[in-house]
């Protein structure tokens, strides 16, 4: 897991450099809210990947040991073949993620950002990572050893990180072989002429072979065709599934219902987004007023987010040494922190409830770490005190954070 911890640090370093260069040299200032929103989704996936990576290494090994079609050994030509096959599998995984509605529900999160930078590359949900790893199972099935597969996936994933930027222009002859930032900007654009183009991750010839290549010409407009009205952590993850459920329930006929799940996303061409947003989303506070008055809530987000990232790195390094209860506790705290940070972006008043739940988890965790009934009683008396003064504390908290 050390490599994953170093990977998180490297990603954060490159993001910092990109933000600095964008502002100082190119005069580009990326949205603070979008940066936090992007990184929140990426942090959640990294947290879940701590367990997912281990599970799929076992799955890859099991498939290789019991079902491999041939026995492939490490050599320079087997590595070249594996890289090419990995990118070929990626192309079809990625293309189907845009052409099958249920897979698009998992992949759409990656396309929601209306900024395009290295933080955009982190917008991978655990659902998308799970589906992607299922596709990767074909590699050990062919006969590639799991160690080769895992290392190739790390290299492959690292390459795609660097294609998410506006700071690199066209790269001449390189664009005839490799997927470049220019090619990938087209893929993330919502311009009509750019939709469903450039699925490749490392090599460009798959798109040219299967007729999905488009060169960057007009300036891309990033995001999905129907932009979201919120930065909510949970809504970004689940809104499309809710829209699908709504459309499924009001659609008649088994064949038509089947198309809602396995047809193309074009089937969702109605008013589902507007209806579910009206029914599910609660209007936030008038953010511009608060932003002019105070940046305190942003400083509070920064402190929480920095602590969350530090904790994520530590959990990545030491999770195997932690007990099941400790892993559950720290993971729950981090997820609640991500939910809280995104709610703070919209200055929701219900964030105090999230703080309260975090407090409950912390106090109960401390109580169970110490032997003795008196620790348990003391911790629960503290919770009782906070519960009895909940409304008063909530009012003070809102005033303190938002200066409301």
């Amino acid at each position: 897991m050390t490599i994953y911890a170093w990977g998180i640090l490297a990603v954060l370093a490159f993001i910092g450099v990109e933000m600095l260069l964008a502002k100082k040299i190119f005069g580009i200032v990326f949205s603070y809210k979008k940066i936090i929103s992007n990184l929140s989704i990426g942090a959640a996936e990294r947290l879940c990947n701590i367990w997912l990576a281990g599970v799929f290494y076992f799955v890859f090994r099991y498939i290789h040991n019991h079902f491999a079609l041939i026995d492939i050994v490490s050599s320079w030509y087997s590595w070249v073949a594996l890289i090419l096959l990995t990118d070929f599998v990626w192309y079809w995984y990625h293309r189907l993620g845009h052409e099958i509605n249920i897979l698009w529900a998992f992949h759409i999160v990656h396309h929601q950002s209306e900024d395009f930078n290295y933080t955009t590359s982190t917008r991978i949900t655990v659902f998308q990572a799970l589906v992607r790893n299922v596709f990767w199972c074909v590699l050990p099935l062919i006969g590639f050893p799991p160690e080769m597969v895992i290392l190739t996936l790390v290299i492959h994933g690292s390459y795609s990180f660097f294609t998410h930027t506006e700071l690199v222009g066209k790269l001449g002859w390189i664009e005839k072989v490799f997927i470049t930032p220019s090619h990938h900007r087209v893929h993330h654009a919502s311009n009509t002429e750019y939709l469903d183009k450039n699925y490749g991750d490392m090599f460009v010839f798959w798109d040219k072979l299967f007729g999905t290549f488009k060169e960057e010409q007009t300036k891309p407009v990033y995001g999905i065709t129907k932009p979201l009205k919120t930065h909510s952590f949970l809504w970004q993850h689940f809104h499309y599934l809710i829209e699908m459920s709504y459309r499924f329930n009001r659609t008649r006929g088994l064949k038509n219902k089947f198309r809602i799940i396995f047809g193309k996303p074009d089937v969702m061409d109605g008013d589902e987004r507007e209806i579910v947003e009206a029914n599910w989303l609660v209007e936030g506070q008038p953010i511009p007023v608060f932003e002019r008055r105070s940046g305190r809530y942003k400083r509070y987000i920064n402190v929480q987010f920095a602590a969350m990232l530090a904790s994520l790195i530590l959990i990545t390094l030491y999770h195997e040494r932690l007990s099941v209860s400790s892993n559950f506790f720290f993971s729950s705290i981090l997820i609640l922190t991500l939910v809280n940070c995104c709610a703070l972006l919209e200055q929701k008043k219900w964030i105090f409830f999230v703080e309260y739940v975090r407090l409950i988890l912390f106090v109960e965790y401390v109580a169970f770490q110490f032997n003795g009934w008196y620790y348990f009683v003391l911790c629960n008396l503290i919770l009782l005190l906070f519960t009895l003064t909940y409304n008063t504390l909530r009012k003070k908290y809102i005033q303190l954070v938002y200066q409301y």
Side-chain angles (χ1 to χ4, degrees):
M1 285 298 170
T2 303
I3 188 173
Y4 288 105
W6 280 109
I8 294 171
L9 287 171
V11 165
L12 294 174
F14 280 113
I15 288 172
V17 171
E18 183 192 33
M19 296 297 141
L20 182 62
L21 292 177
K23 184 177 181 179
K24 296 293 185 182
I25 299 179
F26 297 92
I28 301 174
V29 179
F30 296 112
S31 166
Y32 172 81
K33 293 182 176 65
K34 292 183 177 66
I35 291 171
I36 295 297
S37 177
N38 293 347
L39 291 177
S40 295
I41 292 171
E45 187 274 332
R46 284 293 90 189
L47 178 63
C48 296
N49 193 65
I50 293 173
W51 292 275
L52 196 62
V55 168
F56 270 95
Y57 178 77
F58 172 80
V59 171
F60 291 163
R61 178 162 292 284
Y62 185 85
I63 292 173
H64 181 263
N65 290 343
H66 293 84
F67 303 104
L69 300 178
I70 57 177
D71 185 21
I72 298 175
V73 297
S74 177
S75 63
W76 71 266
Y77 48 85
S78 64
W79 279 102
V80 171
L82 178 55
I83 291 173
L84 289 172
L85 277 171
T86 298
D87 205 56
F88 179 74
V89 172
W90 168 274
Y91 173 87
W92 283 106
Y93 145 74
H94 197 182
R95 180 169 176 173
L96 292 175
H98 283 253
E99 295 182 349
I100 298 177
N101 212 26
I102 186 64
L103 297 183
W104 175 239
F106 303 144
H107 184 59
I108 191 175
V109 182
H110 185 64
H111 285 266
Q112 289 166 352
S113 177
E114 294 166 18
D115 282 348
F116 189 72
N117 51 52
Y118 289 153
T119 68
T120 309
S121 70
T122 68
R123 291 184 67 95
I124 306 294
T125 68
V126 65
F127 308 112
Q128 183 179 341
L130 181 63
V131 172
R132 186 167 59 188
N133 276 285
V134 171
F135 275 80
W136 296 140
C137 287
V138 72
L139 299 174
L141 178 63
I142 293 172
F144 291 99
E147 293 79 11
M148 288 181 65
V149 173
I150 294 295
L151 182 56
T152 301
L153 293 181
V154 170
I155 296 170
H156 197 260
S158 300
Y159 180 88
S160 65
F161 172 80
F162 292 101
T163 60
H164 292 79
T165 183
E166 290 188 277
L167 305 191
V168 177
K170 296 198 173 187
L171 298 175
W173 67 267
I174 295 176
E175 302 202 347
K176 299 183 183 300
V177 180
F178 296 101
I179 291 292
T180 65
S182 175
H183 295 328
H184 205 58
R185 286 194 290 269
V186 167
H187 178 71
H188 271 262
S190 59
N191 311 50
T192 303
E193 68 271 24
Y194 289 159
L195 293 178
D196 301 325
K197 299 296 182 183
N198 297 2
Y199 294 114
D201 194 60
M202 184 175 286
F203 299 108
V204 74
F205 40 72
W206 307 122
D207 283 293
K208 293 185 175 181
L209 179 64
F210 297 111
T212 54
F213 176 74
K214 179 70 176 179
E215 187 176 355
E216 182 183 23
Q217 295 171 329
T218 59
K219 183 175 177 58
V221 177
Y222 304 109
I224 54 180
T225 53
K226 293 182 180 179
L228 295 183
K229 298 178 181 179
T230 176
H231 294 98
S232 166
F233 178 82
L234 296 175
W235 190 254
Q236 289 177 96
H237 277 81
F238 299 110
H239 78 92
Y240 198 78
L241 289 171
I242 296 172
E243 292 168 28
M244 285 180 61
S245 176
Y246 178 84
R247 183 63 178 267
F248 185 89
N249 289 333
R250 72 174 188 173
T251 297
R252 295 182 178 180
L254 187 60
K255 181 179 179 181
N256 291 329
K257 287 181 179 291
F258 183 87
R259 289 179 63 240
I260 298 300
I261 300 175
F262 298 106
K264 291 191 174 184
D266 295 346
V267 73
M268 302 287 289
D269 58 356
D271 56 356
E272 295 82 14
R273 175 73 52 81
E274 292 77 12
I275 292 173
V276 298
E277 285 183 342
N279 291 337
W280 287 69
L281 290 184
V282 178
E283 288 295 326
Q285 299 300 314
I287 299 174
V289 175
F290 289 126
E291 286 184 337
R292 286 195 296 269
R293 288 170 52 189
S294 172
R296 183 178 296 177
Y297 81 100
K298 287 186 178 181
R299 293 192 290 270
Y300 185 48
I301 292 174
N302 293 340
V303 170
Q304 287 198 77
F305 213 81
M308 181 279 302
L309 289 173
S311 300
L312 176 61
I313 293 170
L314 290 175
I315 293 175
T316 303
L317 285 171
Y318 299 110
H319 86 100
E320 293 178 353
R321 304 181 192 180
L322 298 173
S323 64
V324 174
S325 61
S326 294
N327 272 308
F328 174 80
F329 162 74
F330 289 117
S331 298
S332 300
I333 289 291
L334 291 190
I335 293 297
L336 285 172
T337 300
L338 295 172
V339 172
N340 201 31
C341 286
C342 290
L344 278 162
L345 290 175
E346 301 184 331
Q347 307 208 349
K348 302 290 188 181
K349 289 187 176 182
W350 54 259
I351 61 169
F352 184 73
F353 177 75
V354 180
E355 300 281 13
Y356 181 66
V357 174
R358 285 199 300 188
L359 176 66
I360 292 175
L361 284 173
F362 177 77
V363 171
E364 294 298 343
Y365 176 76
V366 171
F368 282 103
Q369 293 307 304
F370 294 96
N371 294 321
W373 62 269
Y374 40 86
Y375 288 111
F376 182 79
V377 171
L378 177 61
C379 288
N380 282 279
L381 282 175
I382 294 173
L383 278 183
L384 179 61
L385 177 63
F386 273 88
T387 303
L388 292 174
T389 58
Y390 180 89
N391 288 330
T392 301
L393 291 173
R394 176 181 176 275
K395 183 177 180 180
K396 295 292 184 184
Y397 173 86
I398 297 298
Q399 290 175 343
L400 179 66
V401 175
Y402 294 149
Q403 287 193 330
Y404 177 67

